Amino acid sequence: DVKVTQSSRYLVKRTGEKVFLECVQDMDHENMFWYRQDPGLGLRLIYFSYDVKMKEKGDIPEGYSVSREKKERFSLILESASTNQTSMYLCASSLGRGLKPQHFGDGTRLSIL
Amino acid sequence: QKEVEQNSGPLSVPEGAIASLNCTYSDRGSQSFFWYRQYSGKSPELIMSIYSNGDKEDGRFTAQLNKASQYVSLLIRDSQPSDSATYLCAVNITPGNTGKLIFGQGTTLQVKP
């Protein structure tokens, strides 16, 4: 069965901290995505990657960066966490051309205090 | 104007009825369309995709696309309480199938026994 695993289900950090969210997929998918989901705003794409070491900005990349050193792992980095980055973060992956996420992780609910 | 719009609901239907979920989009050049289902507290899962005008059926689910009117619908026949979830419409607004998706806010469906 396919699996996208996010390292933490819940995370609480302080303003100004550097925060790392990790995501691993075991399906050999080329594409990986980071979304955030907020009430009333839906799913918004932060960054995506279509290959190792490749990354593209999504709709709301400000305040975030990503790293993809290995095909199975896609990391989201909050350079200096702020309270407006409190959200549910979802990692996803997909196979082949076409950037529709096919499999999502369980999500990380991040609170910035 | 939002690029992908859905009525947030909740849409309430009795068990066994047909549930009709609607989505409109603003970019006339959109090529591919997707429906995701998200149970409360869970991650989205891809349930339907449609690329050409008309209907596409998969079990109790039918996706309908009308590009001239710029809407896509999801019909759920013989609705069950287990269909109660939020349904997200997503649209690829880039010509071809290589662009990223834009998600609507989702419609919450409640199926009452």
Side-chain angles (χ1 to χ4, degrees):
Chain A
D1 199 11
V2 297
K3 193 74 175 173
V4 177
T5 303
Q6 294 183 229
S7 54
S8 303
R9 192 79 174 94
Y10 300 93
L11 205 53
V12 179
K13 296 291 182 181
R14 296 242 175 239
T15 303
E17 281 192 71
K18 190 168 187 176
V19 181
F20 294 85
L21 302 183
E22 306 286 346
C23 176
V24 176
Q25 51 97 1
D26 63 359
M27 296 160 284
D28 203 35
H29 283 176
E30 293 93 339
N31 307 311
M32 296 188 75
F33 311 81
W34 275 106
Y35 289 88
R36 62 178 284 178
Q37 188 170 31
D38 302 286
L41 296 176
L43 271 170
R44 293 181 292 167
L45 182 63
I46 305 171
Y47 267 97
F48 66 97
S49 168
Y50 53 88
D51 202 350
V52 177
K53 296 191 185 294
M54 305 303 289
K55 59 186 179 184
E56 293 283 344
K57 293 180 180 179
D59 300 313
I60 50 164
E62 297 79 18
Y64 303 95
S65 63
V66 290
S67 172
R68 194 166 181 201
E69 296 296 318
K70 295 185 177 182
K71 191 174 186 179
E72 67 270 18
R73 186 180 296 270
F74 193 35
S75 302
L76 179 69
I77 303 149
L78 285 67
E79 298 291 342
S80 177
S82 64
T83 55
N84 62 11
Q85 292 177 309
T86 292
S87 185
M88 172 65 84
Y89 289 86
L90 291 164
C91 176
S93 70
S94 70
L95 183 66
R97 295 181 76 245
L99 295 174
K100 67 178 184 292
Q102 291 174 301
H103 302 282
F104 283 85
D106 289 336
T108 296
R109 183 159 298 279
L110 175 65
S111 296
I112 307 296
L113 305 178
Chain B
Q1 181 187 4
K2 292 182 181 176
E3 293 175 284
V4 180
E5 291 206 55
Q6 297 180 256
N7 187 324
S8 61
L11 172 66
S12 184
V13 301
E15 184 175 357
I18 295 175
S20 178
L21 305 160
N22 300 313
C23 171
T24 59
Y25 58 94
S26 60
D27 193 318
R28 203 166 270 284
S30 300
Q31 297 288 324
S32 47
F33 308 85
F34 307 91
W35 284 98
Y36 290 77
R37 177 176 61 199
Q38 186 173 23
Y39 291 113
S40 180
K42 300 294 186 182
S43 296
E45 55 179 318
L46 179 62
I47 58 172
M48 291 285 285
S49 58
I50 186 165
Y51 303 96
S52 53
N53 277 329
D55 294 358
K56 179 181 177 182
E57 189 173 317
D58 183 2
R60 294 186 296 112
F61 296 89
T62 299
Q64 299 177 317
L65 175 61
N66 184 323
K67 289 187 178 180
S69 300
Q70 295 175 240
Y71 80 79
V72 57
S73 300
L74 180 69
L75 301 180
I76 306 175
R77 290 183 301 281
D78 187 25
S79 296
Q80 301 296 309
S82 59
D83 295 324
S84 297
T86 297
Y87 290 81
L88 307 174
C89 171
V91 177
N92 179 340
I93 62 171
T94 304
N97 288 320
T98 57
K100 61 185 189 295
L101 300 191
I102 303 296
F103 283 82
Q105 292 184 38
T107 298
T108 298
L109 172 67
Q110 296 175 347
V111 181
K112 300 197 172 179

